[in-house]
């Protein structure tokens, strides 16, 4: 049912706009304004000139960490909620940050002299307050004013200040002066938001953040650069084993120091390593895999890089410097994740392996784990923990894997060229483990042979020096005493390609711990959602379980650095705002009050409905769903319902009852549209059935010739393949070429004709045609919406290609910008 088509009325002789872009919800638009040194201008982030110092000095609520098992107060126990910061699907961010709530606006037109003096008065008042707190006898008159020419632009900062910070120095006369930067301009810093809301019912929120405490003894984290010889390690993850072997071998020489490693080139320690001249080279011998008979030699070069001062972190948290050094957070992240990297499976910042996976089907399984990240905030350093899930390939025989991905219940014994191409797309790049060898070794699949094992031959050297052609099936029978059960199956060709190494499918299994990077189809996505979706209470329980399993306070690496983690969730104050009242149309302009975020549309009409007089219907439903074939009329004839006209009056397909699923859907949709005050008038002026997306352009051309004033195209998509091909081509033609709004409905939903589905389709159609479905009640609207001037909403988003998509050729990222003006929907897109 989701339909993202957005367009305008086709511009042939019509200038009115009829489209609307609905961007993703909760999109933040960050606009950076360049402010000159003109008097009367204020940079974003500064306090309002007329804001009182009392508002500026208000402190934000400080979270507290206490035992979550403690009973909540009776008035709040029923309204308690869980807040989080990693995923906003079930957890809401409830941390007020100064940088997220700018309390100023830019004024680039006002030249009032009195206003230009107010920032100086504001700074002088706050500086005077700070001087009095320190015991200096300062007054507002004793603070020198700042000339307008010295006013600097606002500086962006990620530090939530505890209050407006104005660097001050106490002179010999006891007065406080504003410190200036080396360039002669004052070092302005953005203030806090002027205050906090008070509306709504107070509740207590628990966020998935856990307080991190650093020992006072930890003054520096020592950073070292690591280089390997050879530089390119195969596999790359062997670097972990090299560092682990090095630290164990030279443990006594290192004085018991436990180094942590990020897997690339950065190593951190709590104490200085005893390296002569701050650099040393070591030789490490180890087996890359358990199957190797001999050890390989690696050379490791470790060089001191820098001492990371913890004082900088403390200064940033206390507000003495503007930003928190990222190098400190990066080092803490590596330290917190070191044990998990050694014992479990890590992907980025997520940790997997402690929970049993569940099968998704088609050879995939979902792994459950947790995400962790160290983040600074206005109260200290927290560890954010959230549930995480990803897909891996199941460890199973290749023949079973093939039956799963091909959706075969029983094996046929051979592969057609089409089946082979589909199976190759699934298994190419995966690693398999042959089970006929005396050792375990992984091979990467690069191809599937055209010939089966019974006919695929290769030159085989005999003991007497002769070279004979031998089939793969005969070779396995003679050498390994294995009689192939499926000799008509093709073989797997493994890397390297030059060696031409082949394995029968039935002697191989999918290697474990292989992450699935390919895009999941609709069926797997739906199954993935079922496996991972959970309510906030269950999610909170899982997060606590992961924190308990991690056992951070007994982690030897964290103990070496003197780091402790509070196992109690952060508790924050929150408010449940009252539901806004919604206004619908009709004669009475009914007002609806939602309950728990939902409301009933039945019996209500759209606030502004758009009627449709010229519209078309395209049906790509399969033949068995269309019903029997009716008579076809001439091109342009109207015809009767039993044998409807051709391309002029609608298609000629009908069931035995005289009406196919398409026409039943049309009648039901028209009835619902009349109830909602956006009628679809008359039968579609153009109605045609299609078989595939290649016919769409010719159908559009025929539609334009039949009805040049087409306002809307309703399309019924087939169940096969989810209608992806038809959907993509339809949106390209409708949005970019013909500029006609389109509405897609899946075949199954069109057949069922549920009232809720029909109402949702009407919601989308009315929005695309420029109508207004519902609005906030007039008396509750913000002042900006009560004016006569139009209001613009901006939306922006960017889509990046998947990692799998960029393997063969570079794939671009697509950025889009859209806007909506007042009650008239206008669409604007900028694609790059």
């Amino acid at each position: 049912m989701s339909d993202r088509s957005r367009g305008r009325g086709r511009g042939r002789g019509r200038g009115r706009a009829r489209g609307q872009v609905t961007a993703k919800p909760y999109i933040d638009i960050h606009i950076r304004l360049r402010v000159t040194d003109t008097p009367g201008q204020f940079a974003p982030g500064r306090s309002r000139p007329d804001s009182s110092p009392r508002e500026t000095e208000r402190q934000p609520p400080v979270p507290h960490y206490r035992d979550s098992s403690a009973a909540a107060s009776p008035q709040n126990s029923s309204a308690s909620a869980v807040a989080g910061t990693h995923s906003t699907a079930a957890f809401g961010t409830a941390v007020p940050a100064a940088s997220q709530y700018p309390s100023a606006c830019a004024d680039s037109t006002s030249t009032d002299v009195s206003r230009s003096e107010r920032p100086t008065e504001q700074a002088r008042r706050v500086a005077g307050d700070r001087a009095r707190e320190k015991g200096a006898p300062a007054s507002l008159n004793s603070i020198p004013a700042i000339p307008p020419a010295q006013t600097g632009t606002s500086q962006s900062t990620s530090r939530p200040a505890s209050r407006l910070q104005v660097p001050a120095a106490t002179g010999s006369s006891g007065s406080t002066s504003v410190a200036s930067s080396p360039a002669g301009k004052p070092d302005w810093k953005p203030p806090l938001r002027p205050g906090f809301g008070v509306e709504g019912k107070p509740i207590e929120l628990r966020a998935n953040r856990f307080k991190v405490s650093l020992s006072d003894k930890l003054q520096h984290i020592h950073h070292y650069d690591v280089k390997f010889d050879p530089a390119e390690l195969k596999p790359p993850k062997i670097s972990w084993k090299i560092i682990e072997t090095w630290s164990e071998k030279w443990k006594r020489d290192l004085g018991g120091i436990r180094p942590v490693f990020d897997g690339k080139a950065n190593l951190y320690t709590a104490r200085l390593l005893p390296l002569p001249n701050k650099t040393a080279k070591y030789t490490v011998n180890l087996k890359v895999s358990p199957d190797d008979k001999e050890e390989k030699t690696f050379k490791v070069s470790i060089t001191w890089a820098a001492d990371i001062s913890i004082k900088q972190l403390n200064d940033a948290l206390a507000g003495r410097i503007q930003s928190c050094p990222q190098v400190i957070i990066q080092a803490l992240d590596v330290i917190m994740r070191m044990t998990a990297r050694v014992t479990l499976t890590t992907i980025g910042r997520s940790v997997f392996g402690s929970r049993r996976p569940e099968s998704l089907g088609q050879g995939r399984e979902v792994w459950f784990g947790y995400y962790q990240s160290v983040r600074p905030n206005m109260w200290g350093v927290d560890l954010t923990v959230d549930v995480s899930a990803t897909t891996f390939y199941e460890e199973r025989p290749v023949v079973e894997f093939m039956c799963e991905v091909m959706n075969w219940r029983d094996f046929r014994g051979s592969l057609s060229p089409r089946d082979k191409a589909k199976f190759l797309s699934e298994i190419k790049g995966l690693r398999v483990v042959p089970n006929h060898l005396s050792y375990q070794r992984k091979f990467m699949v690069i191809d599937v042979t055209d010939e089966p094992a019974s006919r695929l031959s290769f030159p085989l050297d005999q003991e007497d020096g002769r070279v004979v052609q031998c089939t793969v099936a005969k070779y396995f029978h003679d050498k390994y005493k294995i009689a192939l059960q499926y000799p008509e199956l093709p073989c797997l060709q493994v890397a390297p390609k030059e060696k031409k190494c082949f394995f029968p499918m039935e002697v191989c299994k999918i290697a474990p711990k292989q992450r699935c990077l390919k895009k999941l189809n609709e069926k797997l996505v739906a199954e993935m959602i079922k496996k991972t979706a959970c309510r906030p209470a269950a999610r909170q329980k899982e997060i606590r379980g992961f924190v308990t399993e991690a056992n951070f306070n007994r982690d030897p690496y964290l103990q070496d650095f003197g780091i402790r983690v509070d196992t109690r969730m952060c508790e924050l104050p929150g408010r449940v705002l009252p539901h806004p009242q919604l206004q619908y149309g009709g004669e009475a302009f009914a007002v609806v009050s939602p309950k728990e975020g939902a409301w009933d549309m039945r019996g209500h009409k759209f606030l502004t409905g758009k009627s449709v007089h010229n519209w078309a219907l395209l049906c790509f439903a399969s033949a068995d769903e269309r019903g029997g074939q009716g008579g076809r009329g001439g091109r342009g004839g109207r015809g009767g319902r039993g044998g409807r006209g051709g391309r002029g009056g609608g298609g000629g397909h009908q069931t035995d009852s005289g009406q196919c699923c398409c026409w039943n859907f049309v009648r039901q949709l028209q009835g619902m549209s009349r109830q909602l005050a956006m009628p679809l008038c008359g039968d579609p002026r153009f109605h045609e059935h299609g078989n595939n997306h290649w016919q769409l352009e010719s159908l559009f051309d025929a539609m334009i010739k039949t009805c040049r004033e087409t306002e809307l195209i309703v399309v019924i998509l087939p169940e096969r393949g989810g209608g992806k091909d038809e959907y993509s081509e339809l949106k390209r033609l409708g949005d970019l070429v013909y500029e006609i709004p389109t509405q897609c409905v899946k075949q199954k939903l069109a057949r069922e004709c549920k009232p809720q589905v029909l109402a949702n389709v009407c919601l989308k159609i009315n929005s695309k045609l420029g109508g207004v479905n519902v609005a906030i009640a007039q008396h509750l609207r913000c002042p900006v919406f009560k004016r006569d001037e139009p209001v613009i909403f901006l939306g922006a988003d960017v889509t990046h290609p998947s990692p799998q998509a960029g393997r063969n050729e570079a794939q671009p990222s697509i950025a889009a910008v859209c806007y909506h003006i007042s009650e008239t929907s206008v669409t604007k897109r900028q694609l790059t």
Side-chain angles (χ1 to χ4, degrees):
M1 270 298 302
S2 69
D3 191 344
R4 296 184 181 180
S5 73
R6 307 290 181 259
R8 296 185 300 171
R10 192 167 174 269
R12 300 187 181 182
R14 300 192 304 273
R16 64 182 184 274
R18 296 180 298 177
Q20 177 184 2
V21 171
T22 304
K24 291 185 177 180
Y26 311 110
I27 295 181
D28 294 330
I29 304 299
H30 300 277
I31 302 177
R32 177 173 293 180
L33 302 181
R34 182 174 181 178
V35 182
T36 60
D37 294 336
T38 305
Q41 293 182 343
F42 300 96
R46 296 185 185 176
S47 60
R48 294 284 294 178
D50 52 354
S51 61
S52 63
R54 184 175 302 176
E55 289 181 343
T56 306
E57 295 172 6
R58 291 183 62 179
Q59 298 290 340
V62 179
H64 51 281
Y65 302 82
R66 67 185 186 188
D67 190 359
S68 57
S69 61
S73 58
Q75 62 270 24
N76 294 338
S77 59
S78 60
S80 62
V82 180
T85 56
H86 170 55
S87 174
T88 57
F91 286 61
T93 303
V95 182
S99 60
Q100 297 177 3
Y101 302 95
S103 58
C105 65
D107 186 358
S108 58
T109 58
S110 174
T111 57
D112 187 7
V113 177
S114 62
R115 288 193 63 183
S116 67
E117 297 174 353
R118 290 177 185 175
T120 300
E121 295 174 0
Q122 174 75 0
R124 293 164 61 192
R125 282 198 302 268
V126 177
D129 292 342
R130 294 179 59 83
R132 283 191 294 272
E133 291 176 358
K134 297 180 180 181
S139 63
L140 290 178
N141 296 329
S142 65
I143 303 176
I146 302 176
Q150 297 182 5
T151 303
T153 58
S154 70
Q155 300 179 5
S156 60
T157 176
S158 60
R159 174 188 59 82
S162 59
R163 58 185 298 168
L164 179 63
Q165 301 287 334
V166 179
T170 303
S172 57
S173 61
S175 63
T176 304
S177 61
V178 179
S180 299
S181 63
K185 296 183 179 181
D187 187 13
W188 291 103
K189 300 177 183 178
L192 275 179
R193 53 192 282 184
F196 297 89
V198 295
E199 292 187 6
K201 177 183 178 181
I203 62 171
E204 208 172 62
L205 301 174
R206 288 186 289 276
N208 55 334
R209 304 168 74 112
F210 302 86
K211 186 176 181 180
V212 176
S213 303
L214 304 180
S215 174
D216 296 336
K217 298 180 180 179
L218 183 64
Q219 300 297 325
H220 295 87
I221 297 176
H222 307 285
H223 179 204
Y224 296 87
D225 287 335
V226 181
K227 294 182 179 179
F228 299 96
D229 186 14
E232 294 185 3
L233 300 177
K234 294 183 179 181
K237 291 186 177 181
I238 194 63
S239 59
W240 293 100
K241 190 176 293 186
I242 295 174
I243 294 299
E244 184 180 1
T245 305
W246 164 76
S247 61
E248 288 295 331
K249 184 177 180 180
W250 278 274
K251 185 175 182 180
R252 181 175 300 178
D253 297 338
L254 297 178
I257 299 176
R258 292 180 178 271
V260 297
F261 183 55
D262 69 346
K264 297 178 180 179
N266 299 298
L267 186 140
Y268 303 95
T269 61
R271 301 184 299 277
L272 279 171
L273 294 176
L275 304 179
N277 300 324
K278 297 184 178 181
T279 184
K281 295 183 178 180
Y282 302 89
T283 300
V284 178
N285 298 319
L286 58 85
K287 293 182 179 180
V288 177
S289 64
D291 313 326
D292 293 343
K293 298 180 180 180
E294 297 181 356
E295 294 182 341
K296 292 186 178 180
T297 301
F298 300 92
K299 295 182 179 179
V300 184
S301 176
I302 299 178
T303 306
W304 175 85
D307 288 335
I308 303 173
S309 176
I310 302 300
K311 183 178 181 299
Q312 293 183 355
L313 176 62
N314 297 330
D315 290 343
L317 298 177
R320 291 186 286 270
I321 60 177
Q322 288 193 6
S323 60
C324 181
Q326 188 61 30
V327 64
I328 301 179
I329 304 303
Q330 178 182 351
L332 293 176
D333 245 338
V334 175
I335 296 169
M336 298 291 294
R337 205 176 291 112
M338 185 62 187
T339 297
R341 288 185 182 274
V342 175
T343 59
L344 300 172
T345 301
T346 58
I347 299 176
R349 293 183 174 180
S350 297
V351 181
F352 301 95
S354 60
R355 300 289 177 89
R356 185 176 180 180
E358 296 183 14
S359 177
L360 285 178
Q362 300 184 21
R364 276 86 165 174
E365 61 185 9
V366 55
W367 282 35
F368 300 96
Y370 62 93
Y371 165 96
Q372 69 174 53
S373 175
V374 176
R375 298 181 183 180
N377 54 51
M378 58 196 306
W379 308 292
V381 179
D382 284 344
L383 179 67
T384 300
V385 180
D386 199 358
V387 295
S388 181
T390 188
T391 53
F392 281 76
Y393 288 98
E394 289 183 294
E395 182 183 3
R396 61 192 315 170
V398 172
V399 175
E400 293 182 9
F401 174 78
M402 179 186 63
C403 293
E404 281 275 348
V405 299
M406 302 300 292
N407 197 20
W408 291 343
R409 292 185 179 180
D410 53 349
F411 180 58
R412 304 177 185 178
S414 61
L415 291 181
S416 64
R418 183 177 180 179
D419 293 338
K420 178 215 163 186
K422 181 179 179 180
F423 176 63
L424 177 60
S425 65
E426 292 285 349
I427 200 171
K428 187 175 182 179
L430 294 184
R431 298 185 180 275
V432 296
V433 179
N435 54 24
H436 66 283
L437 302 176
S438 59
Y439 55 89
Q440 295 288 320
R441 183 179 175 183
K442 299 177 182 178
F443 296 87
M444 186 177 70
V445 178
I446 60 174
D447 200 0
V448 177
T449 62
D450 295 328
E451 295 182 343
S454 59
R455 295 196 300 270
L456 179 63
S457 61
F458 62 94
L460 179 63
D461 296 334
Q462 300 292 324
E463 295 180 356
D464 56 2
R466 291 183 302 112
V467 178
V468 298
Q469 291 293 325
C470 180
T471 64
V472 174
K474 186 176 185 303
Y475 175 79
F476 272 81
H477 181 273
D478 295 341
K479 181 159 186 170
Y480 300 105
K481 309 302 180 185
I482 298 177
L484 297 183
Q485 186 178 357
Y486 306 105
E488 296 303 317
L489 272 178
C491 296
L492 303 177
Q493 183 177 359
V494 299
K497 188 175 182 179
E498 297 77 17
K499 290 188 176 182
K500 295 184 178 180
C501 183
F502 307 99
F503 290 110
M505 290 188 189
E506 58 188 272
V507 301
C508 299
K509 68 176 181 179
I510 304 297
K513 296 184 179 180
Q514 293 189 85
R515 188 186 178 195
C516 178
L517 298 177
K518 297 179 181 179
K519 186 177 180 180
L520 303 180
N521 56 37
E522 290 186 357
K523 183 178 180 181
L524 291 178
V525 170
E527 192 66 25
M528 184 80 171
I529 294 175
K530 292 180 182 178
K531 298 287 186 182
T532 56
C534 63
R535 294 187 175 275
R539 190 170 186 173
Q540 175 186 353
K541 184 178 179 180
E542 284 192 53
I543 292 174
R544 287 175 172 169
F546 283 124
V547 173
T548 302
E549 291 177 9
N551 203 2
F552 292 109
N553 293 330
R554 293 190 178 182
D555 189 314
Y557 295 98
L558 270 63
Q559 290 179 350
D560 198 34
F561 283 86
I563 299 176
R564 293 190 61 83
V565 179
D566 195 334
T567 57
R568 296 167 295 184
M569 279 189 171
C570 168
E571 294 188 357
L572 299 168
R575 293 173 290 114
V576 179
L577 298 178
H579 291 289
Q581 292 181 328
L582 305 177
Q583 181 175 335
Y584 276 95
E587 297 179 356
F589 287 97
V591 176
V592 179
S593 297
K595 295 181 180 179
E596 297 183 358
W599 65 95
D600 195 350
M601 278 184 52
R602 287 178 295 184
H604 301 294
K605 297 181 179 181
F606 291 148
L607 186 63
T608 305
K610 295 291 183 179
S611 59
V612 182
H613 298 278
N614 302 305
W615 60 293
L617 175 67
L618 299 180
C619 182
F620 287 87
S622 56
D624 57 339
E625 292 294 338
R626 298 177 193 167
Q629 300 292 325
R632 296 186 63 87
R635 186 186 296 261
R638 295 290 295 181
R641 186 172 297 180
R644 304 194 67 83
R647 291 185 175 176
H653 302 288
Q654 63 178 8
T655 61
D656 295 338
S657 61
Q659 196 175 31
C660 71
C661 75
C662 296
W663 288 104
N664 180 49
F665 171 73
V666 167
R667 300 299 173 226
Q668 298 289 339
L669 183 63
Q670 287 177 326
M672 180 61 69
S673 67
R674 286 191 293 268
Q675 295 179 22
L676 297 174
M678 54 142 293
L680 295 176
C681 302
D683 290 340
R685 298 287 300 276
F686 180 85
H687 171 217
E688 187 58 80
H689 287 289
N691 296 322
N692 54 62
H693 64 282
W694 301 110
Q695 296 178 319
L696 273 172
E697 191 161 4
S698 62
L699 291 176
F700 267 78
D701 291 336
M703 176 186 62
I704 294 301
K705 292 179 182 179
T706 303
C707 181
R708 297 181 60 87
E709 298 297 324
T710 302
E711 302 171 90
L712 173 71
I713 304 174
V714 178
V715 184
I716 298 180
L717 297 177
E719 291 297 326
R720 63 178 188 277
K724 292 182 179 179
D725 296 335
E726 290 82 0
Y727 183 88
S728 300
E729 182 66 8
L730 178 73
K731 296 309 175 185
R732 185 188 71 83
L733 294 172
D735 292 353
L736 303 179
V737 180
Y738 295 89
E739 296 184 347
I740 301 176
T742 57
Q743 177 60 51
C744 297
V745 182
K746 284 194 174 182
Q747 174 181 324
K748 179 181 178 181
L749 300 177
R751 183 177 64 250
E752 294 174 349
C753 285
K754 294 181 178 180
Q756 184 178 0
V757 173
L758 297 173
N760 288 338
V761 173
C762 291
L763 282 169
K764 296 174 181 294
I765 292 176
N766 193 50
S767 296
K768 294 171 186 178
L769 297 178
V772 179
N773 298 334
V774 66
I776 301 295
Q778 183 71 24
H779 65 282
L780 295 177
R781 297 179 188 177
C782 299
V784 68
F785 297 112
K786 295 182 180 180
R787 302 173 183 173
D788 295 333
E789 295 86 357
V791 180
I792 185 172
F793 286 89
L794 293 174
D797 195 12
V798 60
T799 300
H800 300 289
S802 62
Q804 190 71 15
R807 285 193 172 184
N808 299 328
E809 58 182 10
Q811 298 290 331
S813 296
I814 301 176
V817 178
C818 60
Y819 63 80
H820 173 77
I821 299 179
S822 194
E823 293 185 358
T824 302
S825 303
V826 182
T827 300
K828 182 72 174 179
R829 291 183 176 178
Q830 298 177 2
L831 302 179
T832 58

